[in-house]
mmCIF file of all heavy atoms in Angstrom:
data_model
loop_
_atom_site.group_PDB
_atom_site.id
_atom_site.type_symbol
_atom_site.label_atom_id
_atom_site.label_comp_id
_atom_site.label_asym_id
_atom_site.label_seq_id
_atom_site.Cartn_x
_atom_site.Cartn_y
_atom_site.Cartn_z
ATOM 1 N N GLU A 1428 42.933 14.829 23.666
ATOM 2 C CA GLU A 1428 43.955 14.645 22.635
ATOM 3 C C GLU A 1428 44.016 13.191 22.178
ATOM 4 O O GLU A 1428 44.211 12.909 20.995
ATOM 5 C CB GLU A 1428 45.322 15.079 23.180
ATOM 6 C CG GLU A 1428 45.465 16.585 23.349
ATOM 7 C CD GLU A 1428 46.886 16.971 23.712
ATOM 8 O OE1 GLU A 1428 47.719 16.055 23.908
ATOM 9 O OE2 GLU A 1428 47.160 18.174 23.801
ATOM 10 N N TYR A 1429 43.844 12.264 23.117
ATOM 11 C CA TYR A 1429 43.899 10.843 22.772
ATOM 12 C C TYR A 1429 42.750 10.471 21.829
ATOM 13 O O TYR A 1429 42.967 9.869 20.765
ATOM 14 C CB TYR A 1429 43.831 10.002 24.047
ATOM 15 C CG TYR A 1429 43.842 8.504 23.790
ATOM 16 C CD1 TYR A 1429 45.053 7.810 23.707
ATOM 17 C CD2 TYR A 1429 42.664 7.786 23.627
ATOM 18 C CE1 TYR A 1429 45.076 6.441 23.472
ATOM 19 C CE2 TYR A 1429 42.683 6.420 23.388
ATOM 20 C CZ TYR A 1429 43.888 5.754 23.317
ATOM 21 O OH TYR A 1429 43.902 4.390 23.068
ATOM 22 N N PHE A 1430 41.522 10.854 22.199
ATOM 23 C CA PHE A 1430 40.368 10.418 21.419
ATOM 24 C C PHE A 1430 40.201 11.214 20.127
ATOM 25 O O PHE A 1430 39.440 10.799 19.252
ATOM 26 C CB PHE A 1430 39.104 10.498 22.271
ATOM 27 C CG PHE A 1430 38.981 9.354 23.234
ATOM 28 C CD1 PHE A 1430 39.429 9.468 24.537
ATOM 29 C CD2 PHE A 1430 38.436 8.153 22.832
ATOM 30 C CE1 PHE A 1430 39.335 8.411 25.424
ATOM 31 C CE2 PHE A 1430 38.328 7.091 23.704
ATOM 32 C CZ PHE A 1430 38.783 7.208 25.009
ATOM 33 N N SER A 1431 40.891 12.320 19.992
ATOM 34 C CA SER A 1431 40.882 13.046 18.722
ATOM 35 C C SER A 1431 42.091 12.676 17.863
ATOM 36 O O SER A 1431 42.345 13.308 16.844
ATOM 37 C CB SER A 1431 40.859 14.551 18.965
ATOM 38 O OG SER A 1431 41.976 14.961 19.737
ATOM 39 N N LEU A 1432 42.844 11.651 18.303
ATOM 40 C CA LEU A 1432 43.997 11.119 17.546
ATOM 41 C C LEU A 1432 45.113 12.148 17.369
ATOM 42 O O LEU A 1432 45.831 12.123 16.370
ATOM 43 C CB LEU A 1432 43.546 10.609 16.177
ATOM 44 C CG LEU A 1432 42.744 9.307 16.167
ATOM 45 C CD1 LEU A 1432 42.253 8.992 14.766
ATOM 46 C CD2 LEU A 1432 43.574 8.150 16.707
ATOM 47 N N LYS A 1433 45.261 13.036 18.344
ATOM 48 C CA LYS A 1433 46.339 14.022 18.266
ATOM 49 C C LYS A 1433 47.578 13.592 19.036
ATOM 50 O O LYS A 1433 48.674 14.067 18.751
ATOM 51 C CB LYS A 1433 45.846 15.366 18.802
ATOM 52 C CG LYS A 1433 44.789 16.024 17.930
ATOM 53 C CD LYS A 1433 44.371 17.364 18.492
ATOM 54 C CE LYS A 1433 43.338 18.044 17.595
ATOM 55 N NZ LYS A 1433 42.888 19.341 18.142
ATOM 56 N N SER A 1434 47.428 12.715 20.012
ATOM 57 C CA SER A 1434 48.571 12.306 20.825
ATOM 58 C C SER A 1434 49.308 11.136 20.172
ATOM 59 O O SER A 1434 48.714 10.319 19.469
ATOM 60 C CB SER A 1434 48.112 11.917 22.232
ATOM 61 O OG SER A 1434 47.391 10.702 22.204
ATOM 62 N N GLU A 1435 50.610 11.075 20.422
ATOM 63 C CA GLU A 1435 51.418 9.983 19.887
ATOM 64 C C GLU A 1435 51.011 8.643 20.490
ATOM 65 O O GLU A 1435 51.077 7.609 19.829
ATOM 66 C CB GLU A 1435 52.906 10.253 20.167
ATOM 67 C CG GLU A 1435 53.460 11.443 19.414
ATOM 68 C CD GLU A 1435 53.337 11.265 17.907
ATOM 69 O OE1 GLU A 1435 53.529 10.122 17.423
ATOM 70 O OE2 GLU A 1435 53.020 12.241 17.216
ATOM 71 N N GLN A 1436 50.562 8.664 21.752
ATOM 72 C CA GLN A 1436 50.138 7.419 22.393
ATOM 73 C C GLN A 1436 48.901 6.847 21.701
ATOM 74 O O GLN A 1436 48.788 5.624 21.513
ATOM 75 C CB GLN A 1436 49.822 7.673 23.879
ATOM 76 C CG GLN A 1436 49.683 6.410 24.710
ATOM 77 C CD GLN A 1436 50.981 5.623 24.787
ATOM 78 O OE1 GLN A 1436 52.039 6.175 25.062
ATOM 79 N NE2 GLN A 1436 50.905 4.334 24.522
ATOM 80 N N ALA A 1437 47.983 7.712 21.312
ATOM 81 C CA ALA A 1437 46.778 7.252 20.612
ATOM 82 C C ALA A 1437 47.143 6.584 19.285
ATOM 83 O O ALA A 1437 46.599 5.535 18.930
ATOM 84 C CB ALA A 1437 45.838 8.428 20.370
ATOM 85 N N LYS A 1438 48.079 7.194 18.570
ATOM 86 C CA LYS A 1438 48.501 6.623 17.285
ATOM 87 C C LYS A 1438 49.255 5.313 17.489
ATOM 88 O O LYS A 1438 49.128 4.381 16.681
ATOM 89 C CB LYS A 1438 49.367 7.631 16.539
ATOM 90 C CG LYS A 1438 48.628 8.908 16.172
ATOM 91 C CD LYS A 1438 49.564 9.944 15.551
ATOM 92 C CE LYS A 1438 48.833 11.248 15.256
ATOM 93 N NZ LYS A 1438 49.740 12.288 14.720
ATOM 94 N N ALA A 1439 50.026 5.226 18.566
ATOM 95 C CA ALA A 1439 50.778 3.998 18.843
ATOM 96 C C ALA A 1439 49.829 2.845 19.170
ATOM 97 O O ALA A 1439 49.995 1.722 18.662
ATOM 98 C CB ALA A 1439 51.753 4.228 19.998
ATOM 99 N N ILE A 1440 48.830 3.099 20.021
ATOM 100 C CA ILE A 1440 47.862 2.049 20.355
ATOM 101 C C ILE A 1440 47.030 1.689 19.133
ATOM 102 O O ILE A 1440 46.695 0.521 18.912
ATOM 103 C CB ILE A 1440 46.947 2.513 21.514
ATOM 104 C CG1 ILE A 1440 47.786 2.843 22.745
ATOM 105 C CG2 ILE A 1440 45.933 1.446 21.854
ATOM 106 C CD1 ILE A 1440 48.568 1.679 23.305
ATOM 107 N N LEU A 1441 46.718 2.686 18.319
ATOM 108 C CA LEU A 1441 45.977 2.426 17.088
ATOM 109 C C LEU A 1441 46.754 1.485 16.177
ATOM 110 O O LEU A 1441 46.200 0.523 15.625
ATOM 111 C CB LEU A 1441 45.690 3.744 16.375
ATOM 112 C CG LEU A 1441 44.942 3.659 15.037
ATOM 113 C CD1 LEU A 1441 43.522 3.171 15.252
ATOM 114 C CD2 LEU A 1441 44.931 5.017 14.339
ATOM 115 N N LYS A 1442 48.044 1.750 16.044
ATOM 116 C CA LYS A 1442 48.874 0.888 15.204
ATOM 117 C C LYS A 1442 48.990 -0.511 15.798
ATOM 118 O O LYS A 1442 48.996 -1.508 15.074
ATOM 119 C CB LYS A 1442 50.263 1.509 15.051
ATOM 120 C CG LYS A 1442 51.167 0.767 14.083
ATOM 121 C CD LYS A 1442 52.474 1.507 13.873
ATOM 122 C CE LYS A 1442 53.348 0.770 12.862
ATOM 123 N NZ LYS A 1442 54.627 1.489 12.629
ATOM 124 N N GLN A 1443 49.040 -0.597 17.110
ATOM 125 C CA GLN A 1443 49.147 -1.895 17.780
ATOM 126 C C GLN A 1443 47.895 -2.741 17.561
ATOM 127 O O GLN A 1443 47.990 -3.967 17.429
ATOM 128 C CB GLN A 1443 49.361 -1.659 19.275
ATOM 129 C CG GLN A 1443 49.385 -2.917 20.122
ATOM 130 C CD GLN A 1443 49.536 -2.591 21.599
ATOM 131 O OE1 GLN A 1443 50.326 -1.725 21.977
ATOM 132 N NE2 GLN A 1443 48.774 -3.262 22.421
ATOM 133 N N GLU A 1444 46.733 -2.098 17.499
ATOM 134 C CA GLU A 1444 45.479 -2.820 17.364
ATOM 135 C C GLU A 1444 45.074 -3.072 15.914
ATOM 136 O O GLU A 1444 44.067 -3.725 15.665
ATOM 137 C CB GLU A 1444 44.357 -2.049 18.075
ATOM 138 C CG GLU A 1444 44.498 -1.988 19.579
ATOM 139 C CD GLU A 1444 44.443 -3.370 20.225
ATOM 140 O OE1 GLU A 1444 43.874 -4.296 19.608
ATOM 141 O OE2 GLU A 1444 44.992 -3.536 21.322
ATOM 142 N N GLN A 1445 45.821 -2.550 14.977
ATOM 143 C CA GLN A 1445 45.490 -2.762 13.573
ATOM 144 C C GLN A 1445 45.648 -4.222 13.187
ATOM 145 O O GLN A 1445 46.565 -4.903 13.638
ATOM 146 C CB GLN A 1445 46.371 -1.906 12.667
ATOM 147 C CG GLN A 1445 45.955 -0.451 12.608
ATOM 148 C CD GLN A 1445 46.852 0.346 11.692
ATOM 149 O OE1 GLN A 1445 48.021 0.023 11.506
ATOM 150 N NE2 GLN A 1445 46.316 1.395 11.104
ATOM 151 N N ARG A 1446 44.748 -4.691 12.349
ATOM 152 C CA ARG A 1446 44.824 -6.043 11.812
ATOM 153 C C ARG A 1446 45.326 -5.985 10.373
ATOM 154 O O ARG A 1446 45.447 -4.918 9.776
ATOM 155 C CB ARG A 1446 43.449 -6.705 11.873
ATOM 156 C CG ARG A 1446 42.879 -6.843 13.273
ATOM 157 C CD ARG A 1446 43.619 -7.898 14.093
ATOM 158 N NE ARG A 1446 43.531 -9.206 13.471
ATOM 159 C CZ ARG A 1446 42.536 -10.075 13.690
ATOM 160 N NH1 ARG A 1446 41.560 -9.745 14.519
ATOM 161 N NH2 ARG A 1446 42.523 -11.255 13.098
ATOM 162 N N GLY A 1447 45.598 -7.165 9.829
ATOM 163 C CA GLY A 1447 46.170 -7.201 8.493
ATOM 164 C C GLY A 1447 45.268 -6.622 7.424
ATOM 165 O O GLY A 1447 45.565 -5.623 6.788
ATOM 166 N N VAL A 1448 44.105 -7.254 7.200
ATOM 167 C CA VAL A 1448 43.164 -6.817 6.173
ATOM 168 C C VAL A 1448 41.784 -6.763 6.804
ATOM 169 O O VAL A 1448 41.330 -7.734 7.396
ATOM 170 C CB VAL A 1448 43.159 -7.777 4.961
ATOM 171 C CG1 VAL A 1448 42.122 -7.342 3.948
ATOM 172 C CG2 VAL A 1448 44.536 -7.844 4.323
ATOM 173 N N LEU A 1449 41.105 -5.607 6.658
ATOM 174 C CA LEU A 1449 39.756 -5.460 7.184
ATOM 175 C C LEU A 1449 38.734 -5.885 6.138
ATOM 176 O O LEU A 1449 38.853 -5.547 4.959
ATOM 177 C CB LEU A 1449 39.491 -4.012 7.589
ATOM 178 C CG LEU A 1449 40.372 -3.418 8.687
ATOM 179 C CD1 LEU A 1449 39.868 -2.038 9.078
ATOM 180 C CD2 LEU A 1449 40.412 -4.316 9.909
ATOM 181 N N PHE A 1450 37.718 -6.587 6.606
ATOM 182 C CA PHE A 1450 36.672 -7.073 5.707
ATOM 183 C C PHE A 1450 36.003 -5.932 4.958
ATOM 184 O O PHE A 1450 35.732 -6.022 3.762
ATOM 185 C CB PHE A 1450 35.635 -7.860 6.519
ATOM 186 C CG PHE A 1450 34.432 -8.272 5.721
ATOM 187 C CD1 PHE A 1450 34.454 -9.424 4.962
ATOM 188 C CD2 PHE A 1450 33.270 -7.498 5.729
ATOM 189 C CE1 PHE A 1450 33.349 -9.798 4.220
ATOM 190 C CE2 PHE A 1450 32.169 -7.871 4.990
ATOM 191 C CZ PHE A 1450 32.200 -9.029 4.242
ATOM 192 N N VAL A 1451 35.733 -4.834 5.644
ATOM 193 C CA VAL A 1451 34.982 -3.742 5.037
ATOM 194 C C VAL A 1451 35.732 -3.135 3.858
ATOM 195 O O VAL A 1451 35.116 -2.594 2.936
ATOM 196 C CB VAL A 1451 34.664 -2.669 6.100
ATOM 197 C CG1 VAL A 1451 35.930 -1.954 6.556
ATOM 198 C CG2 VAL A 1451 33.634 -1.675 5.579
ATOM 199 N N ASN A 1452 37.057 -3.246 3.855
ATOM 200 C CA ASN A 1452 37.853 -2.655 2.777
ATOM 201 C C ASN A 1452 37.894 -3.524 1.531
ATOM 202 O O ASN A 1452 38.248 -3.031 0.451
ATOM 203 C CB ASN A 1452 39.284 -2.396 3.261
ATOM 204 C CG ASN A 1452 39.346 -1.318 4.326
ATOM 205 O OD1 ASN A 1452 38.498 -0.433 4.369
ATOM 206 N ND2 ASN A 1452 40.339 -1.395 5.193
ATOM 207 N N ILE A 1453 37.562 -4.804 1.677
ATOM 208 C CA ILE A 1453 37.690 -5.706 0.512
ATOM 209 C C ILE A 1453 36.380 -6.446 0.214
ATOM 210 O O ILE A 1453 36.376 -7.364 -0.598
ATOM 211 C CB ILE A 1453 38.843 -6.716 0.728
ATOM 212 C CG1 ILE A 1453 38.760 -7.409 2.101
ATOM 213 C CG2 ILE A 1453 40.184 -6.018 0.632
ATOM 214 C CD1 ILE A 1453 37.958 -8.650 2.139
ATOM 215 N N GLN A 1454 35.280 -6.042 0.844
ATOM 216 C CA GLN A 1454 34.015 -6.750 0.631
ATOM 217 C C GLN A 1454 33.600 -6.721 -0.833
ATOM 218 O O GLN A 1454 33.202 -7.737 -1.400
ATOM 219 C CB GLN A 1454 32.918 -6.145 1.507
ATOM 220 C CG GLN A 1454 31.570 -6.846 1.347
ATOM 221 C CD GLN A 1454 30.503 -6.278 2.260
ATOM 222 O OE1 GLN A 1454 30.732 -5.267 2.909
ATOM 223 N NE2 GLN A 1454 29.363 -6.926 2.321
ATOM 224 N N ARG A 1455 33.691 -5.563 -1.450
ATOM 225 C CA ARG A 1455 33.283 -5.455 -2.853
ATOM 226 C C ARG A 1455 34.181 -6.301 -3.747
ATOM 227 O O ARG A 1455 33.701 -6.957 -4.682
ATOM 228 C CB ARG A 1455 33.342 -3.986 -3.292
ATOM 229 C CG ARG A 1455 32.853 -3.742 -4.707
ATOM 230 C CD ARG A 1455 32.764 -2.253 -5.000
ATOM 231 N NE ARG A 1455 32.330 -2.017 -6.364
ATOM 232 C CZ ARG A 1455 33.156 -1.934 -7.410
ATOM 233 N NH1 ARG A 1455 34.463 -2.072 -7.223
ATOM 234 N NH2 ARG A 1455 32.700 -1.711 -8.619
#
Side-chain angles (χ1 to χ4, degrees):
E1428 288 188 356
Y1429 178 89
F1430 282 95
S1431 58
L1432 288 175
K1433 292 182 178 179
S1434 71
E1435 293 300 322
Q1436 193 64 48
K1438 297 174 183 177
I1440 301 298
L1441 179 67
K1442 186 174 182 179
Q1443 176 183 318
E1444 293 298 337
Q1445 283 180 332
R1446 299 289 300 272
V1448 177
L1449 299 187
F1450 173 84
V1451 68
N1452 293 333
I1453 49 89
Q1454 181 178 8
R1455 184 172 178 272

